[in-house]
Amino acid sequence: MSCNTFGRLFRFTTFGESHGPAIGCVVDGCPPRIPLTETDIQPWLDRRRPGQSKFTTQRQEPDQVRILSGVFEGMTTGHPIALMIENVDQRSKDYGEIKDRFRPGHADLTYWLKYGIRDYRGGGRASARETALRVAAGAIARKVLGETVTIRGALVQMGPWTIDRAQWDWSAVDDNPFFCPDRQAAQAWEGHLMEVRKRGSSVGAVIEVVAEGVPPGLGEPVYGKLDAELASAMMGINAVKAVEIGAGFAAAALSGEENADSFRMDTGADGQRRVVFGSNNAGGILGGISTGQPIVVRFAVKPTSSILAPVPAVDLHGNEVEVSTRGRHDPCVGIRAVPVGEAMMACVLADQMLRRRAQTPDVPDSPILPRP
C-alpha cells in the first residue's frame, strides 16, 4: 500500500490498523527549536477520542500519545518526530461474523479487489481510528503556525437538521457533544440521534472549519493552489464525500455582482490603510492564494457504513447475503470528524507557510496587505 504520506515540506506518514497493537505517525519537516511535549498534543486528541458521550462509539481508547523522537529537552530538533498511540480496547471478535462478507458502503470490497487481502477487524487501515494520527500531526502543525492563526471547526448540519446561523456562538461548540455552534439545535439533535441509534441506523453531517489570522500569500498556482490542497486534505478524511470553499455550491446561484467580494480601503486601529473586503464568498482564497480573510471550508460526511440494520450484500464466494455489523460504532461519524477537519486545515496551512518562506523570502511588504 502506497500513499500513506501527506504534505510536501511539512508532511506526515501514518501507520497501523484499527485492531493492531498500536497506531503511529512520523512528522517530517517540522522546524527546530519549537517548544513541544505530549501535553501540547494530548488536548487535541482528547477532543476526537471515542467513548466520551452516548452519541459516539463506546470503544474506550485513552489515545495517550508518546513522542519517540525529534524532541530534545522540550524542543523540536528538526529531525523526524515519531508519535505512537497504543490500541487498548480492541474487540476483534465482534467482526467474526462478517470476515467473509463485504459491507456495503465500506472499503471491504475495494480493498479486496485491489490487494487480494483485507483486515476485516474494524476495517484495518480504512478505519476512522487512523484519523487520531492526523489530529496528532495537526497539533504539531498548529505549533508551526503559531498563536496568530486560529483554527476552529463546528458541526453545522446533522442528517437533514441544520443550524440557525443567526444563533452561531463559538463558545457553544465545546458545551455540547456535537461541536454545534447553535445551542438550540444541539438540544434538538440529541433526540434525533437517539432515535437514529435505536433504529440501528446512522446519519451524515456537514462540518465547517474556519481559519482566522492566516496571512495573505499562501498557495502556489497553478497546481499547488491553497483551495485545491485544502479540498484534497478534507476529501482524504474517512467518509467525506463533498467539499466546498467559501460560498461553495451556493455561488452557482449568485449573480456576478453578488458573488464578487468587493474591495475598499480602510484605516485600521494601528493607523495603516489596508484593503477591506465587502464579503467573503471566495472563502479567503483568490487564484489559489490566501487573501488574509478567514479561510472557510465545509465538508460533507456520509452516514456511518457500519450499522446494525441488515442490508443486502455479497460474500467472498459470490453468495448474496445480508450484513448487520455488530460492535461499537458512531451513529454519526461526522461528530468526531470536526477535530480531524481542524487538524487537516492546520497541516495544509503549515505546509504552505513553510513553502511560502522558502520560495519568496525577499519580496517586500505590500503597502496595503502585510506579508507573513
Side-chain angles (χ1 to χ4, degrees):
M1 177 185 287
S2 59
C3 297
N4 293 290
T5 300
F6 181 86
R8 298 191 188 182
L9 289 188
F10 181 91
R11 57 189 179 271
F12 63 91
T13 302
T14 70
F15 63 87
E17 295 81 33
S18 176
H19 284 234
I23 55 177
C25 72
V26 177
V27 178
D28 202 2
C30 180
R33 300 188 304 277
I34 294 178
L36 181 69
T37 66
E38 282 96 344
T39 56
D40 293 312
I41 303 172
Q42 196 61 51
W44 303 109
L45 285 168
D46 289 344
R47 295 179 74 233
R48 193 217 70 99
R49 183 169 53 83
Q52 297 189 77
S53 79
K54 58 187 176 182
F55 303 107
T56 61
T57 172
Q58 294 306 294
R59 179 170 174 173
Q60 298 297 315
E61 292 286 354
D63 282 353
Q64 197 70 39
V65 67
R66 290 176 56 198
I67 298 177
L68 305 181
S69 68
V71 175
F72 179 67
E73 295 183 342
M75 303 282 282
T76 60
T77 61
H79 303 161
I81 301 171
L83 308 173
M84 188 179 74
I85 301 171
E86 292 185 3
N87 293 328
V88 302
D89 190 28
Q90 311 96 313
R91 282 194 348 206
S92 301
K93 66 179 188 315
D94 289 342
Y95 297 89
E97 294 182 7
I98 63 165
K99 68 183 182 67
D100 293 328
R101 301 183 178 192
F102 301 116
R103 293 168 292 176
H106 216 291
D108 297 349
L109 179 62
T110 50
Y111 270 49
W112 177 262
L113 293 173
K114 182 175 179 66
Y115 301 108
I117 187 173
R118 70 181 177 94
D119 184 348
Y120 61 84
R121 306 166 304 165
R125 285 288 285 169
S127 170
R129 180 89 185 110
E130 185 268 349
T131 62
L133 305 170
R134 307 184 194 208
V135 174
I140 298 175
R142 290 177 192 261
K143 299 286 287 186
V144 174
L145 291 169
E147 296 181 356
T148 58
V149 177
T150 302
I151 300 172
R152 296 180 289 187
L155 200 76
V156 298
Q157 180 175 338
M158 179 185 291
W161 308 292
T162 61
I163 66 165
D164 179 357
R165 287 187 170 267
Q167 302 299 318
W168 189 296
D169 181 0
W170 279 114
S171 66
V173 169
D174 291 326
D175 291 341
N176 62 78
F178 308 117
F179 300 105
C180 178
D182 178 351
R183 297 181 191 277
Q184 292 184 352
Q187 291 179 355
W189 288 356
E190 291 195 19
H192 296 321
L193 197 54
M194 285 303 295
E195 179 60 31
V196 168
R197 182 162 225 162
K198 288 178 182 177
R199 296 200 314 266
S201 188
S202 61
V203 294
V206 176
I207 292 91
E208 183 166 318
V209 183
V210 181
E212 296 174 294
V214 178
L218 302 189
E220 298 183 28
V222 170
Y223 300 116
K225 291 182 178 180
L226 179 56
D227 41 0
E229 296 199 352
L230 284 170
S232 176
M234 301 306 171
M235 281 298 298
I237 299 172
N238 307 59
V240 172
K241 301 303 293 183
V243 178
E244 60 180 12
I245 312 289
F249 284 100
L254 301 177
S255 67
E257 312 91 272
E258 292 169 328
N259 186 65
D261 298 322
S262 59
F263 304 147
R264 63 181 176 84
M265 297 301 296
D266 192 25
T267 302
D270 58 0
Q272 289 190 333
R273 285 177 58 77
R274 292 189 175 90
V275 171
V276 176
F277 296 81
S279 55
N280 193 19
N281 290 311
I285 303 170
L286 289 172
I289 301 171
S290 63
T291 65
Q293 284 190 285
I295 294 177
V296 182
V297 180
R298 280 178 296 278
F299 58 93
V301 179
K302 69 179 182 179
T304 313
S305 299
S306 298
I307 56 176
L308 282 171
V311 290
V314 297
D315 64 16
L316 285 172
H317 311 291
N319 300 311
E320 294 184 352
V321 295
E322 279 193 340
V323 168
S324 176
T325 308
R326 304 190 183 280
R328 301 160 296 177
H329 306 290
D330 295 89
C332 178
V333 73
I335 296 173
R336 293 195 297 128
V338 174
V340 181
E342 292 177 353
M344 294 308 291
M345 173 81 85
C347 289
V348 170
L349 294 180
D351 188 29
Q352 287 278 9
M353 185 172 289
L354 293 176
R355 288 152 62 182
R356 173 80 159 101
R357 292 174 185 172
Q359 185 179 35
T360 56
D362 300 323
V363 175
D365 283 348
S366 165
I368 59 173
L369 283 175
R371 280 170 46 82

